[in-house]
Amino acid sequence: MTHTYTTPDGRTIGGPVMEVKNISLRFGGVVAIRQVSFDIRDGEIRAIIGPNGAGKSSMLNVINGFYCPQEGEVWFRSKRRGRMKPHQIAYQGIARTFQNIALFSGMTTLDNIMTGRLTHMKSSMLSQALWWGKAEAEETANREVVERVIDFLEIQSVRKTPVGQLPYGLQKRVELGRALAAEPGLLLLDEPMAGMNVEEKEDMSRFILDVNDEFGTTIVLIEHDMGVVMDIADRVVVMDYGKKIGDGTPDEVRNNQDVIDAYLGVSHD
């Protein structure tokens, strides 16, 4: 199925950009993912949820190419994907944020976000060091992209501040900015609102919706806050003990008895 459809709020969702088919992932004798299949469609916000230990982060790492599953296939833009290195994933237009903030704390907001442009830097190290010709033009173009990201995320006031001095919520926003600077077609967010207060979650939810709406970026996120997921996701995959137990719209998932049982049962720490 490759036809498009329109969401209730008027956005167009296209055909699958990624399909994971019968994925199984093991670490020694521990099965992290067990025969899971689903797709990610162009332009949607796709959430992966489940209790602790359900296999969500492992699945995100499969999507990101960091883990290579022992069984199953990953198809990206109609091509089967084999084992890949991180830079190859980045060149395919896939960017991500992390559950634990992974920024350079001594560098400014601006410099941290500039690191997201590395895959767009083509000039040699020598010409970059001398800052002339092509390197100068490239640097100017990259800086323009970064400045647009800073304006978009409303962090102009901290652009020259070392990120280690920023409050947690702003650090998470800077990390989102670094991912956006790569101009990804597919953006992976690993618990983007973990540790945030209500106001920070509202801000981050708004930015995620705006990224999807204004840039047309396809987004996959893992998130524990069910209220947030049900508010912003177009479709939701639910995992439990490494298996898929639900897949559909927020309303379909909310009324799925297997999902209800998983969330009302004992947390799988």
Side-chain angles (χ1 to χ4, degrees):
M1 293 177 62
T2 59
H3 64 276
T4 63
Y5 69 92
T6 303
T7 64
D9 60 356
R11 291 181 302 106
T12 299
I13 304 299
V17 293
M18 180 173 284
E19 297 174 88
V20 295
K21 301 180 179 181
N22 300 314
I23 295 297
S24 291
L25 178 70
R26 295 182 296 274
F27 300 101
V30 177
V31 180
I33 302 174
R34 193 187 307 269
Q35 293 290 303
V36 172
S37 300
F38 61 89
D39 66 7
I40 300 162
R41 299 178 73 92
D42 189 29
E44 77 174 338
I45 299 177
R46 187 71 145 127
I48 304 174
I49 67 172
N52 291 334
K56 306 182 297 298
S57 290
S58 293
M59 178 55 74
L60 200 70
N61 280 323
V62 169
I63 293 171
N64 193 45
F66 186 73
Y67 291 158
C68 187
Q70 285 86 6
E71 297 174 23
E73 301 175 351
V74 178
W75 288 72
F76 183 59
R77 301 200 182 282
S78 302
K79 294 182 179 180
R80 183 178 176 180
R81 196 173 73 187
R83 187 180 295 273
M84 302 186 75
K85 296 179 179 178
H87 72 275
Q88 293 174 312
I89 297 294
Y91 280 119
Q92 285 192 339
I94 300 175
R96 71 170 292 177
T97 64
F98 296 87
Q99 186 173 340
N100 298 312
I101 293 173
L103 295 169
F104 300 101
S105 61
M107 290 167 53
T108 66
T109 292
L110 175 65
D111 289 339
N112 267 278
I113 297 177
M114 277 292 289
T115 64
R117 297 296 297 169
L118 286 174
T119 56
H120 298 269
M121 296 178 183
K122 310 299 182 185
S123 54
S124 68
M125 290 289 288
L126 177 60
S127 59
Q128 287 182 35
L130 297 174
W131 206 64
W132 64 282
K134 182 181 177 181
E136 182 179 358
E138 188 177 82
E139 172 81 9
T140 301
N142 286 328
R143 180 65 68 92
E144 287 175 355
V145 172
V146 168
E147 293 292 355
R148 287 198 297 270
V149 169
I150 287 173
D151 289 343
F152 176 79
L153 293 175
E154 301 172 7
I155 49 178
Q156 302 95 329
S157 63
V158 297
R159 59 194 299 282
K160 292 294 183 68
T161 305
V163 296
Q165 297 177 16
L166 297 178
Y168 181 80
L170 279 181
Q171 289 190 32
K172 295 286 277 190
R173 206 183 299 181
V174 172
E175 189 174 38
L176 174 61
R178 182 174 60 184
L180 291 178
E183 298 180 291
L186 177 60
L187 176 62
L188 312 179
L189 305 176
D190 191 353
E191 297 194 27
M193 298 169 216
M196 289 186 174
N197 60 36
V198 173
E199 184 178 354
E200 290 170 336
K201 285 183 179 181
E202 290 175 351
D203 286 341
M204 184 60 76
S205 295
R206 174 169 59 89
F207 286 123
I208 290 171
L209 288 169
D210 286 348
V211 167
N212 176 254
D213 182 44
E214 296 184 28
F215 302 152
T217 308
T218 304
I219 297 173
V220 179
L221 75 146
I222 294 174
E223 181 53 52
H224 278 292
D225 189 319
M226 289 291 288
V228 167
V229 168
M230 295 304 170
D231 281 346
I232 71 175
D234 296 303
R235 292 191 299 157
V236 182
V237 175
V238 190
M239 296 181 65
D240 189 30
Y241 285 119
K243 297 183 294 183
K244 184 179 79 172
I245 62 171
D247 188 359
T249 66
D251 282 342
E252 289 169 342
V253 166
R254 188 184 286 116
N255 296 310
N256 182 313
Q257 190 60 49
D258 288 336
V259 176
I260 294 169
D261 291 344
Y263 274 93
L264 292 180
V266 178
S267 179
H268 310 149
D269 290 322

